[in-house]
Amino acid sequence: MKKILIKKGTVVFPQRGVLQDADILVEDGLVARVGKGIEDTQACPVNASNLLVGPGFINLHVHLREPGRETEENLWTGSRAAARGGFTSVVSMPNTHPPIDNPLLVRYLLLRAKEIGLINIFPAGAITVGLEGKEMAEYGLLKEAGVIALSDDGRGVQDARLLYLAFQYAQYFNLPFILHEEDEGLSRGGEVSEGKVAALLGKRAIPRVAEESLMARDLVLAFRTGARVHFTHLSTALQVELLRWFQKKMPVSADVTPHHLLLTEEDVLQWGSEAKVKPPLRSLEDQKALKEGVKEGVISILASDHAPHPLEDKSLSFSEAPFGISNLEIAVPLYAKALIEEGIINWVELWEKLSYNPALFLGLNNKGILEEGKDADITIVDPGTRKKVKVSDFESRGKNCPFENWSLLGWPAYTIVGGRMVMAEGSIVEDEFC
Ligand code: DOR
Ligand code: ZN
């Protein structure tokens, strides 16, 4: 593998909270040098002037649909979408067909990911067998096979005793949880948030308490057991308050998606099922509280819940259409719009939430930090060029996306994974970079 020399970039050091002008030399998959005025005539040069260079982005919540729904997305299309989106690593969710609840499937995913060799794919394993909420999966075997976390994403674990035991059992294997919170008794049959849009359209509502009550329960379970838990896709103001309160007592983290930061229930009126997601888009007040949570650091991670679905399914009636938004390629500029353009956080803080904090949560000690000897997983972002979202250009098979034609700043320009250039100037590097 050829060396890469990134020249004249503004380097982001999220762990120290600073930006510095520096060059970076990448060699043998690792960051070899960081400093000013580095020269190396043998290395492939990258001119990073006016660009931001930092540790690779890590997306804790991505649906790659393999095995079972490869026509909707698969490890290859999803890897390309991730690389284009500036993500060097993703956590793949286990709600596939069949679900990732046994070591064979985990090994299969890791083998495929290695064969494709574009980005790092870290599979999450199921909390319960078949995601059915009835019986614990074999966490020891899942961990041995390579899962990085446990999740029943798409569903909440309804049985408190089961999760209480799972929280204890998983600690033997040092496995953290990524929790989708939804009391199915409360959300039953719901399609949109409770509120004026549900009333206007006559749609069945998903009340806020569906997420809040299960989250409150699981915060208590985590407090009592000492489990490492992360709450994914927060959508309500009270969830932020719950988290704020419990963070005074124990380490616990959460993330928010770009769509919950940029859209509200009112967008369902315009976009119909393109804006049908779980948890549902909620009110402007909820959105403000989520942004405040990001600003304060209560929400310390940004994860996109990339959920590709075929347009045939999304064009069914609203009630029949599946939940989800495809966003892997545009998550970074969407976050930049929601958080940086609005003055809520700056680029260093954004990087911390997209790279350093998720690496810390996942225990990836050689990622999330740009310094000599660490993995050369690097994302380079162009903060100054505006571009329009063109869903038809997505590498992802999921074209279900309500952000078509949005004009955004902050697009990833280069993605380097394990010292290899996988995306350059917005396109996948098909052969050798230079
Ligand atoms: O909108 C969603 N789509 N939310 C989820 O929790 C699951 C996901 C999916 O798998 O499509
Ligand atoms: Zn979910």
Side-chain angles (χ1 to χ4, degrees):
M1 201 168 12
K2 273 191 118 178
K3 292 190 263 184
I4 298 174
L5 178 59
I6 306 165
K7 290 285 286 178
K8 296 191 163 52
T10 303
V11 181
V12 187
F13 297 95
Q15 83 278 22
R16 288 193 274 126
V18 296
L19 286 170
Q20 266 165 19
D21 289 342
D23 304 333
I24 296 172
L25 182 67
V26 167
E27 187 174 4
D28 293 333
L30 302 177
V31 175
R33 285 180 65 195
V34 182
K36 285 218 164 100
I38 302 174
E39 297 295 340
D40 190 323
T41 50
Q42 260 129 61
C44 300
V46 177
N47 176 4
S49 52
N50 300 319
L51 304 180
L52 298 167
V53 184
F57 296 140
I58 300 169
N59 195 336
L60 269 192
H61 191 149
V62 167
H63 295 274
L64 298 178
R65 307 294 188 219
E66 186 172 343
R69 301 243 159 111
E70 287 85 350
T71 52
E72 303 179 8
E73 192 78 295
N74 53 60
L75 265 54
W76 190 71
T77 56
S79 293
R80 291 171 69 92
R84 261 191 109 201
F87 292 100
T88 53
S89 299
V90 304
V91 175
S92 60
M93 284 297 147
N95 62 337
T96 49
H97 301 269
I100 310 302
D101 62 1
N102 70 71
L104 259 180
L105 289 170
V106 178
R107 292 209 175 87
Y108 164 77
L109 288 181
L110 289 170
L111 260 170
R112 279 282 294 141
K114 202 170 162 194
E115 245 168 45
I116 295 162
L118 266 187
I119 59 149
N120 307 300
I121 296 174
F122 294 106
I127 300 172
T128 67
V129 174
L131 305 179
E132 282 176 350
K134 297 204 176 95
E135 195 187 329
M136 249 187 265
E138 283 279 8
Y139 303 155
L141 298 180
L142 286 171
K143 169 84 182 201
E144 203 178 72
V147 304
I148 197 157
L150 298 168
S151 180
D152 268 5
D153 187 61
R155 303 191 63 183
V157 178
Q158 306 301 301
D159 182 336
R161 182 175 172 81
L162 178 63
L163 196 63
Y164 179 57
L165 296 175
F167 277 4
Q168 294 170 64
Y169 186 46
Q171 288 176 63
Y172 290 105
F173 311 105
N174 193 25
L175 278 170
F177 288 80
I178 300 174
L179 295 171
H180 167 118
E181 296 301 39
E182 178 184 346
D183 180 314
E184 290 175 2
L186 285 163
S187 68
R188 189 164 32 215
E191 300 168 300
V192 289
S193 178
E194 63 188 342
K196 51 186 170 199
V197 175
L200 207 66
L201 298 178
K203 301 274 179 225
R204 280 169 298 182
I206 301 176
R208 291 173 177 77
V209 284
E211 287 160 74
E212 294 160 349
S213 61
L214 217 67
M215 180 172 168
R217 181 200 76 179
D218 294 346
L219 281 161
V220 176
L221 293 180
F223 177 68
R224 288 296 181 200
T225 57
R228 259 194 318 137
V229 301
H230 172 87
F231 295 92
T232 194
H233 49 46
L234 296 199
S235 77
T236 85
L238 184 60
Q239 286 187 295
V240 180
E241 283 205 51
L242 283 170
L243 194 62
R244 196 181 279 125
W245 194 83
F246 271 91
Q247 281 176 345
K248 294 186 189 118
K249 300 190 150 297
M250 65 183 189
V252 51
S253 56
D255 68 63
V256 62
T257 70
H259 39 276
H260 288 101
L261 291 172
L262 286 166
L263 304 176
T264 65
E265 57 182 333
E266 311 242 347
D267 287 288
V268 176
L269 295 174
Q270 185 184 350
W271 291 102
S273 59
E274 292 281 34
K276 183 180 177 187
V277 274
K278 243 186 193 172
L281 301 170
R282 299 204 183 269
S283 68
L284 201 57
E285 289 70 45
D286 288 303
Q287 191 180 79
K288 279 190 189 140
L290 294 170
K291 288 181 178 167
E292 185 53 38
V294 172
K295 188 182 169 90
E296 277 177 47
V298 173
I299 297 174
S300 60
I301 292 178
L302 300 171
S304 80
D305 192 4
H306 169 68
H309 289 288
L311 288 182
E312 305 93 89
D313 290 359
K314 274 291 196 182
S315 43
L316 294 168
S317 72
F318 191 87
S319 304
E320 289 166 303
F323 294 90
I325 289 176
S326 171
N327 62 19
L328 199 46
E329 275 147 275
I330 54 171
V332 171
L334 287 175
Y335 281 127
K337 179 171 177 65
L339 299 169
I340 296 179
E341 282 181 49
E342 292 192 26
I344 291 161
I345 55 172
N346 60 33
W347 272 106
V348 182
E349 290 161 325
L350 188 84
W351 227 288
E352 183 190 23
K353 292 172 199 298
L354 276 170
S355 178
Y356 182 67
N357 289 343
L360 211 60
F361 170 73
L362 295 170
L364 299 169
N365 301 328
N366 291 318
K367 303 195 187 294
I369 296 179
L370 243 186
E371 62 188 35
E372 288 164 25
K374 299 289 183 190
D375 292 348
D377 287 1
I378 298 173
T379 303
I380 303 181
V381 168
D382 177 355
T385 309
R386 203 166 263 290
K387 247 182 17 191
K388 276 195 174 171
V389 175
K390 285 277 164 256
V391 174
S392 57
D393 289 347
F394 280 7
E395 291 283 345
S396 168
R397 294 225 169 131
K399 314 290 183 199
N400 51 309
C401 176
F403 296 105
E404 173 75 355
N405 273 327
W406 279 40
S407 171
L408 303 173
L409 280 169
W411 294 80
Y414 297 87
T415 308
I416 298 171
V417 182
R420 200 178 133 224
M421 185 69 76
V422 297
M423 185 275 279
E425 292 170 11
S427 303
I428 301 297
V429 176
E430 306 288 352
D431 299 307
E432 287 289 302
F433 171 57
C434 82

